[in-house]
Amino acid sequence: MPDRGGGPTGPRIRVGRPSRRVRTLLMTLGVLAVLGMVFTMFAGFWTDWLWYRSVNYSSVFTTTLWTKIGLFFVFGLLMALAVGFNIWLAHRMRPPLSAMSMEQQNLDRYRMGIAPYKKWLLLGITALVGLIAGASASSQWRTWLMWVNGVSFGQKDPQFKLDVSFYAFDLPWYRFLLGFGFAATILALIAAALTHYLYGGLRVTSPGARATAAATGHLSVLLGVFVALKAVAYWLDRYGLAVKSSDFKATDNWTGLRYVDANAYLPAKTILFCIAVICALLFFATLWRRTWQLPVIGFGLMVLSAILIGGLYPAIVQKFQVQPNEQAKEAPYVEKNLKATREAYGIDDSKVTDYPGTSQTEDKTQLRDDVTDTASIRIMDPNIVSPTFQQLQQIRNYYAFPTNLDVDRYAVDGEEQDTVIGLRELNLDGIPKRNWINDHFRYTHGYGVVAAEGTSVDSGGRPNFIESDLPSKGELPEYEQRVYYGERTTTYSIVGGPQKEIDYSDDSGEKTYSYKGDSGIDLESPINRAAYAVAFSEPQILYSGAIGEGSRILYNRTPKERVEAIAPWLTIDGDAYPAVVDGRIQWIVDAYTTTNGYPYASRTTLGDTTADSLTATNDQRAVVAQQNQVNYIRNSVKATVDAYSGEVKLYQWDTQDPVLKTWMKAFPDTVQPKTEISSALMAHLRYPQDLFKVQRELLTRYHVKDATTFLSGSEVWEVPDDPTNKTGDAVPPYYLSMKMPDQQEQTFSLTTTFTPNGRDNLSAFMAVNADPGTEDYGKIRVLKLPTSTTAAGPKQVQSQFNSEQNIAESIRLLRGGDSEVEYGNLLAVPLDGGLLYVEPVYVRGGGLKYPLLRKVLVTYGGQTAFEDTLDQALNKIFGGEGTTTEPPPGEDEGTGEEEGTTPPPTSDNPTVQEALNDAQKAFEAGQEALKKNDWEAYGKAQKDLEDALRKAEEAQSAEGGGGAGGGESSPSPDASPSS
């Protein structure tokens, strides 16, 4: 017979089977793949351990790791045992197979198929559910640590008289346990039912009994456990009412019991708890009665009760008892919410005082000097002048300043001055040639602080720098200027090895440097190099010759990243800021402890309440919230990150915060006591912006203390939109040295305004003392304007500026050609019962790439001024000269001209005249040098200019006359190019 298979089968079989060499190769590749996966996981673990050890916070890593491992194994094992035991028990209770029905015959092939693998199948199923459950439980490490380390708040909720810690620390853990119990019971019930069905304990289509007695008893017990857990859930739900959120009276995320909760839901939950307990007992009774009748009746009763008692009855109470007389019914519960919310957000001590909103003095000339006494008005907007800093002080393209600069306080000529400050950080996009060596070995750090006075500019509208140039020099004491850790350093660098780093360039050429700090992780070890090559997906780390003895890798370099990694239980403020402290640049980071379990305190969404016009345009200013919604927040920790060494220190700021105390118990020795904060550091701490924004949002509704007013909604405020831009987002708060009406002297403050809901006139002004060196640091003061007045709000003031014909014409002229006009921060200052508004106006003219201050807008009492300087504008408003805060035109050291030369100043004194002529020549030489970007010649011209001016001043003083030049203007040593 011919072969119908298409040929001999022997050779085909031999071709289909791989040879021993191929099998060996495949096995080797498989082993290598497994080893690669294992090493990848090891690399992640190992690099994390090395990093935490390098920053001296290895205890955070080990505590978190062991907690996760413990939860993983405990709850994974419990889940595996629950499911595995019930599968084993169901298999053990299987009935003998006799007189098999058609249904059982169909299942027989499945039983036979799994028979040889029953043990492996059981192990596989239990291992799978155990792994899933363990992974889920390990993510609850924060909940576990807060429960096991929780400390008392010392405050009780008004309904159940339990300490707040029960809701903040205990209830979340109990709810997790309850959820885990439900999951274990349901999975065990499903597994047991399938096993009983497979082995004949349950029948669907067969005649006779649907379940054996053993299966009935087994499944009834599991159902009884489920119903018992439901009873526990009903009991916990009673306490959950104290932290339940709902929408109420146009208030999002209202939290706490209302009338219907206390008088309908609460008794309903208690009744349902009792019914569930009885129902569970009926299920357990089937072990003896062997019938489903009573449990099914009980379960049906429980479901019906849940619908009628838990749903219909509260709806009837709300409809027929609450709505007809809502204000009287809800008032007691609103008062509890008002009190709890104010306490939870730290606004309970805020002082609200009435403020007339209009000036009380008829003769406005008397107020001219009061302006200087009331506030040091900052005309240098840190959110506008970054391009100016960039153009004048960048020096090299591989340096850059942040989009938004910061405001701090420094002593200038012995007096504390509001100061705009920024760091000259590394800008990788500006590196002349991008490659791996340049990006990670040569260009590794920024250099120096640049700071300017906040209340003045030079005659050209440029910042008056108190610290500038490269290396930076000026009013600040000497400090380590290299910036290895900053807001822009988002990539890793390898330092300290054979490859030298670019330090900075000066007149003598490019300087190199090798990192001397002990930060980072040593790369001499081959294991470390291999681990980081895998972790960063960069094989060159493994074999590059640029890495050798002394090489260290720096990463996680932004201040927020470092603090978040070291204290993962903190929520970090959106704006870290630099300060020169004890010879070092320190990044200061405000950190918060939060919870969403404070009873009766309304919740807020951090991402929404901290958003403003700055966060809309700058991702670095957005808050990073671990918990999206919170109803308790404290600025409990002040952290510092050394810009050179990367050293992180956490200081306990709020010594009474129970949430921080709980975390300090969980992570001992990670937070230093408040007494460790040095006086030099204390001088630069401030009240954080994000906390202030959260508090101001709450105060739009919770500034009232009585339930009747709250329920009427007649005094709801809102934070106005920023009128200086078109983003449509809230106006940001502003730092400003000022004094409120009840203060005796100026303090560094954080301020904002409020408008009535849906209207643009001013309803209130809010300020908080932001200077920790004063006794009432953190004191919130709110000036509430009467509803009968129509004091102008920020939007109306801006509209008034834009609508006045003379101002509009001046703005149009400033925009001539291709110039752009930018409005600075609109500052509000309480003055003699009214509000003084001040807004700097900047212009980017022609080819100019950076804004210069050209005008200042001022309005008070319905009068508006638009002048070249703040003093001129104030003089126009108040009709007097007052005490000047900046040099008026013609008496400044500079000319104010952007192009061209300055007419030579004159003097009757020959020596003075000669010095002034030399100064004029030096000034013109400096201008020419700037046009050619010849920094060496510019530096020499500046020195000649200073020498000439000093010579003129000395000669004039010796003669006994006035200022040099007989009052004529002389060229500025700080003049810089206009384009």
Side-chain angles (χ1 to χ4, degrees), residues 586-879:
Q586 298 283 354
W587 288 98
I588 300 176
V589 183
D590 286 289
Y592 311 108
T593 48
T594 61
T595 180
N596 62 0
Y598 197 100
Y600 272 99
S602 291
R603 289 183 171 87
T604 186
T605 304
L606 289 181
D608 294 336
T609 53
T610 58
D612 58 27
S613 61
L614 297 184
T615 61
T617 57
N618 183 1
D619 293 339
Q620 292 180 341
R621 296 295 291 270
V623 69
V624 179
Q626 294 172 355
Q627 292 175 298
N628 189 37
Q629 284 195 329
V630 303
N631 67 353
Y632 172 93
I633 185 170
R634 290 290 185 272
N635 177 213
S636 53
V637 172
K638 300 284 189 181
T640 61
V641 179
D642 192 294
Y644 181 80
S645 68
E647 180 185 17
V648 180
K649 292 183 178 180
L650 307 177
Y651 297 100
Q652 182 183 17
W653 185 246
D654 190 332
T655 58
Q656 305 301 316
D657 178 29
V659 181
L660 178 60
K661 291 179 181 178
T662 296
W663 286 119
M664 289 175 68
K665 281 181 63 179
F667 296 96
D669 302 324
T670 57
V671 181
Q672 300 182 33
K674 187 175 184 178
T675 54
E676 293 297 315
I677 299 177
S678 67
S679 58
L681 174 59
M682 185 71 76
H684 294 283
L685 300 181
R686 67 188 192 188
Y687 200 83
Q689 293 183 75
D690 283 342
L691 175 60
F692 184 79
K693 286 188 279 188
V694 170
Q695 291 174 325
R696 76 173 179 179
E697 180 65 30
L698 267 297
L699 281 169
T700 58
R701 300 183 302 276
Y702 287 90
H703 62 277
V704 300
K705 297 183 180 181
D706 64 284
T708 302
T709 306
F710 185 88
L711 286 168
S712 70
S714 60
E715 293 199 11
V716 175
W717 301 337
E718 62 182 17
V719 179
D721 293 339
D722 190 345
T724 64
N725 59 51
K726 298 179 180 180
T727 63
D729 294 282
V731 63
Y734 296 123
Y735 287 105
L736 182 70
S737 288
M738 57 161 289
K739 69 176 183 179
M740 294 288 275
D742 65 331
Q743 292 179 292
Q744 300 302 314
E745 58 184 15
Q746 293 183 21
T747 58
F748 192 60
S749 304
L750 193 53
T751 66
T752 192
T753 54
F754 295 107
T755 57
N757 190 25
R759 292 187 291 159
D760 294 326
N761 57 291
L762 194 69
S763 59
F765 177 85
M766 172 182 171
V768 64
N769 185 342
D771 188 351
T774 56
E775 290 184 0
D776 59 350
Y777 166 80
K779 178 73 173 180
I780 296 175
R781 294 176 170 87
V782 179
L783 302 180
K784 178 184 174 185
L785 278 68
T787 55
S788 58
T789 62
T790 55
K795 187 176 181 179
Q796 292 175 326
V797 169
Q798 188 69 47
S799 177
Q800 182 179 344
F801 285 156
N802 298 335
S803 61
E804 288 210 11
Q805 183 175 354
N806 293 338
I807 296 177
E809 180 64 20
S810 299
I811 294 291
R812 188 186 67 79
L813 292 175
L814 289 174
R815 287 196 175 109
D818 57 353
S819 297
E820 298 178 8
V821 172
E822 296 182 36
Y823 293 102
N825 39 216
L826 179 58
L827 302 176
V829 177
L831 178 67
D832 190 48
L835 268 296
L836 173 71
Y837 286 97
V838 178
E839 182 177 68
V841 178
Y842 296 83
V843 177
R844 296 177 188 245
L848 207 59
K849 298 179 180 179
Y850 58 95
L852 298 176
L853 182 67
R854 281 292 176 250
K855 294 285 186 178
V856 179
L857 282 161
V858 175
T859 184
Y860 183 79
Q863 291 184 296
T864 302
F866 186 60
E867 302 297 328
D868 294 337
T869 68
L870 175 61
D871 279 328
Q872 290 175 354
L874 293 174
N875 290 341
K876 183 175 180 180
I877 291 290
F878 297 105

Side-chain angles (χ1 to χ4, degrees), residues 41-52:
M41 291 187 291
F42 166 78
F45 166 81
W46 184 243
T47 53
D48 284 347
W49 162 248
L50 291 174
W51 187 86
Y52 277 97

